[in-house]
Amino acid sequence: WSIVLLTIVMLMASLFLCQSLTVVLDDQVGALATQEWVFLMYGTTSRSFYTVFELTFSGGWPNYARNLVEDVHWAYAVFFFVYIIAVTFAMFRIITTLFLRDTLALASNDAEAAVQEKIKQKQGYANKLLDFFYTADASDDGYLTLDEFELILSDEKVKTWLSIMEIDVHETTEFFNILADGDGLVSAEEFVQGILRLKGGARSQDVMAIQRSA
């Protein structure tokens, strides 16, 4: 809509210039050079609109205004003063601000969408870990023992699944002790939170093992 508004303003300005300068073209005693220049720049609606377009966007508006002020009438200085202030400075800055606001809003929405997607992925990952936990909990008491943990990890398919999930179980007992927090049992919450912290390979496990021993 900002482009449409700017186009309407330029069209109104070009129509005003075209109509107001017809007296110069009809003047039989006026300077021929001035008349030729006025016709070239503002003689028809299309010429006038293109001239207004140029003076609006080129930054060289004095080249299109000086002859009118000097050779036609000083009042055109008032017109160009108002037009340049209102359009070239004020309106352009408003349009720039609106574009910048929309751009920042779009970037903010993209960032929010990325955060929501990350949360969704983490929740899906946690749900898969819970499924693994309940499958491994053979006693169905809500806790994993070392025997239950070793039993399910003896399955190569489970190890492959954990590897795909970026969990490298290279020492089963050490891995379990990290999750168990020293009490020999791992609850569902401890399992999920511990795995999420360990996610990323053996180096993370080594760091947590050192922390536990310390």
Side-chain angles (χ1 to χ4, degrees):
W1 67 266
S2 56
I3 301 300
V4 174
L5 176 60
L6 182 59
T7 301
I8 292 174
V9 172
M10 290 192 299
L11 180 60
M12 292 175 60
S14 63
L15 289 174
F16 168 77
L17 291 170
C18 182
Q19 291 298 317
S20 66
L21 290 169
T22 53
V23 294
V24 177
L25 298 177
D26 295 336
D27 189 0
Q28 299 298 323
V29 296
L32 182 61
T34 300
Q35 289 180 328
E36 289 178 348
W37 185 88
V38 169
F39 178 78
L40 179 65
M41 295 296 177
Y42 305 101
T44 64
T45 301
S46 58
R47 288 176 181 270
S48 183
F49 182 79
Y50 183 72
T51 300
V52 171
F53 176 83
E54 283 188 330
L55 70 88
T56 301
F57 290 99
S58 68
W61 62 268
N63 298 326
Y64 304 96
R66 176 64 64 179
N67 288 354
L68 296 183
V69 176
E70 297 289 345
D71 301 332
V72 180
H73 200 283
W74 63 265
Y76 284 102
V78 178
F79 168 81
F80 282 104
F81 177 82
V82 174
Y83 182 85
I84 296 303
I85 294 296
V87 177
T88 304
F89 291 106
M91 187 174 291
F92 274 10
R93 278 155 180 75
I94 292 174
I95 292 174
T96 301
T97 301
L98 292 175
F99 274 121
L100 181 61
R101 185 194 65 180
D102 293 342
T103 301
L104 292 176
L106 182 61
S108 177
N109 291 337
D110 289 343
E112 181 66 22
V115 169
Q116 293 299 325
E117 181 64 23
K118 196 69 176 179
I119 292 174
K120 184 178 179 181
Q121 290 177 357
K122 188 173 181 180
Q123 186 60 47
Y125 187 82
N127 290 336
K128 291 179 180 179
L129 291 175
L130 284 175
D131 291 340
F132 175 85
F133 177 88
Y134 292 126
T135 301
D137 184 15
S139 61
D140 219 12
D141 59 355
Y143 292 92
L144 281 184
T145 64
L146 178 59
D147 291 338
E148 290 173 332
F149 194 64
E150 289 178 336
L151 179 62
I152 195 167
L153 287 182
S154 63
D155 190 334
E156 289 299 323
K157 291 183 179 179
V158 172
K159 287 186 177 181
T160 302
W161 181 81
L162 289 175
S163 177
I164 293 173
M165 299 285 284
E166 298 181 18
I167 302 170
D168 184 13
V169 184
H170 59 289
E171 288 291 342
T172 305
T173 302
E174 180 182 297
F175 189 89
F176 180 83
N177 289 334
I178 293 173
L179 298 177
D181 199 18
D183 59 3
L185 295 173
V186 179
S187 66
E189 182 179 358
E190 288 176 332
F191 182 77
V192 173
Q193 291 182 354
I195 292 295
L196 289 176
R197 293 172 62 188
L198 288 170
K199 188 173 182 291
R203 184 172 301 173
S204 298
Q205 297 176 36
D206 295 338
V207 170
M208 289 190 66
I210 293 173
Q211 292 176 346
R212 295 291 189 204
S213 62

